[in-house]
Amino acid sequence: MRSLDEFATAKLGELEHGSLRRALVDTTRVTGIWTLRNGRRLLSFCCNDYLNLTHHPAVKEAAIEALRIYGVGAGASRFVTGNHPLFAALEARLARLKETEAATIFGSGYLANLGIIPALVGADDVVLIDELAHACLWAGARLSRAAVVPYRHADVGHVEALLAELRRRHRRALIATDGVFSMDGDIAPLHALAALAQHHDAWLMSDDAHGLGVVGGGRGSNFVQAAKAEVPLQMGTLSKALGAYGGYICASAAVVDLIRNRARSLIYSTALPPAIVAAASAAIDVIEREPEYAALPVKKAKAFARSAGLPEPASPIVPVVLGEAEAALAASRLLEEQGFLVTAIRPPTVPAQTARLRLTFTAQHPDDEIERLAALVRSRVLSQSAVSATPAQ
Ligand SMILES: Cc1ncc(COP(=O)(O)O)c(C=O)c1O
C-alpha cells in the first residue's frame, strides 16, 4: 500500500540521516567466541554468551537428548498442554540457586518483564525505575498503567526523595532496576534500594539478565556482597550466561503463584521448547560445578580494562562511550578490520550522545587476543575520542 510504504521509507530516511538505521548482517557463530562474517573469521567481543555455554558439549547434549525424546515445540501454553516435568525441575533449580521459595519461567526475558510488572501493579500504583533500566522493564512498567517515574541512574538519594514524595499517594509501589546494567556493566545499589523499599513498603524488582552465572559466585548481583541483598522479585534470563533461551522470576511461593495466574505473556504464550529447558538446566550444572570457570568473564574484563586504561568493571561488560553514533560505527569498523566483532551501540538503546562500543568478555577469550584488543582500543579508539569512557561503578 502506497501510503504505508511512503511512511516506512520516510522513517528509514530519518534513521539513516542520524546514523541510526540498523541492518542485519549475515554472521555465523561457529564456536562460543568465533564468528564468520563476509568470509572472515572474527573474534566476537559483543556476545552475552559469557560462559560460552551455547557451545558447551554437555549443554548441547542435554538439548539434543530432550529434543529426541520430547520433540521440537511445546505445543501450547503449559496451562493447556500440561506442565512438562523438565519445566518444574528447572524452576526448582532456579529457586534454589537464587534462594527463593519458587520460580517460574517465561518464553523470554522480555516476555517476563511484560508479564510480571502488570501482574503486580496497576492504575493506582507507582513504578520507580532507574533511567538506564532495560527497555523491557520500561515496557512492562508502561504496560501496567501504573505511574512510571524514572530516577537518576543508581541514585539512591533520588529514590528516597521520590518515595517520600509519592509513596503515600499510591496504593502500591515497585522499584525496578537492572541488577547488572546491560549497557554500562555496573551493578545496582541493591542493598540500599532494599533498605529503602523495606522502609517505604515498596517492592524491589531486579532484572539480573547480565548477572546470573557471572557475578556473586554465579548467583547474580544480589549475592555480590558477603550478605545478600533482599530482593523479593528476582527476574533474569536463561539466554545470556546460561547460553539457552527464556526468562524467569524467582520470588516467594505466593508471588510466583499469583504471577502464574495473572501474567498474560506467560498464560497466553506457548511454553519454551523442552530442549531449551533441558539445556538451561545443564548450564546451571556447569555454573554450580565450576565456580572458577564462572568467575573468568569478570577476570578477563578486568584484565582488559587495566590494559586499555579504563576504570575497573564490576561485570563482564565494559563500555567505551564515544558520543556520536558515527564515532561508534567508525570504531566498530576499525576493530572489525583488525579481526574483532564489536558492534556499535547507538540510541535509543543508550541515551543520545552516548553511543559506544560495548565490549563483553567471556570465559574462553584468549588472553593474548584480549591484550591485542586493549592495545587497539587504547591507541586507536580512545586516542581519537573526545568523550572519555564512562566509569564502570
Ligand atoms: C537487562 C536485560 N533484561 C532483559 C533482557 C531481555 O532478555 P531476553 O533476551 O531473554 O528476552 C535483556 C536482553 O537484552 C537485558 O539486557
Side-chain angles (χ1 to χ4, degrees), residues 181-207:
F181 283 86
S182 60
M183 295 297 134
D184 292 87
D186 55 326
I187 295 181
L190 292 174
H191 278 90
L193 291 175
L196 274 182
Q198 178 76 25
H199 183 71
H200 291 273
D201 185 25
W203 304 334
L204 178 59
M205 173 173 179
S206 73
D207 173 338

Side-chain angles (χ1 to χ4, degrees), residues 48 108-111 113 134 136 178 180 182 207 209-210 235 237 239-240 245-247:
N48 301 319
S108 74
Y110 202 109
L111 285 173
N113 281 338
H134 190 264
C136 59
D178 288 18
V180 171
S182 60
D207 173 338
H210 298 276
M235 175 270 165
T237 70
S239 47
K240 309 213 188 289
Y245 196 67

Side-chain angles (χ1 to χ4, degrees), residues 304-345:
F304 166 83
R306 257 193 317 275
S307 295
L310 291 166
E312 178 168 275
S315 75
I317 301 167
V318 180
V320 180
V321 178
L322 298 170
E324 296 298 336
E326 188 42 55
L329 288 169
S332 172
R333 282 193 297 269
L334 184 149
L335 294 182
E336 186 169 336
E337 281 159 22
Q338 300 296 321
F340 297 117
L341 180 62
V342 186
T343 303
I345 306 288

Side-chain angles (χ1 to χ4, degrees), residues 234-314:
Q234 299 180 55
M235 175 270 165
T237 70
L238 313 172
S239 47
K240 309 213 188 289
L242 265 53
Y245 196 67
Y248 67 82
I249 177 80
C250 291
S252 70
V255 169
V256 166
D257 202 3
L258 177 68
I259 287 170
R260 284 187 178 145
N261 276 277
R262 294 197 60 193
R264 298 173 70 84
S265 58
L266 175 65
I267 299 167
Y268 300 111
S269 185
T270 299
L272 282 169
I276 283 297
V277 176
S281 275
I284 295 176
D285 284 343
V286 176
I287 290 164
E288 288 184 336
R289 219 177 33 230
E290 302 179 42
E292 282 121 40
Y293 183 74
L296 283 176
V298 177
K299 262 194 198 151
K300 298 207 176 221
K302 286 185 175 171
F304 166 83
R306 257 193 317 275
S307 295
L310 291 166
E312 178 168 275

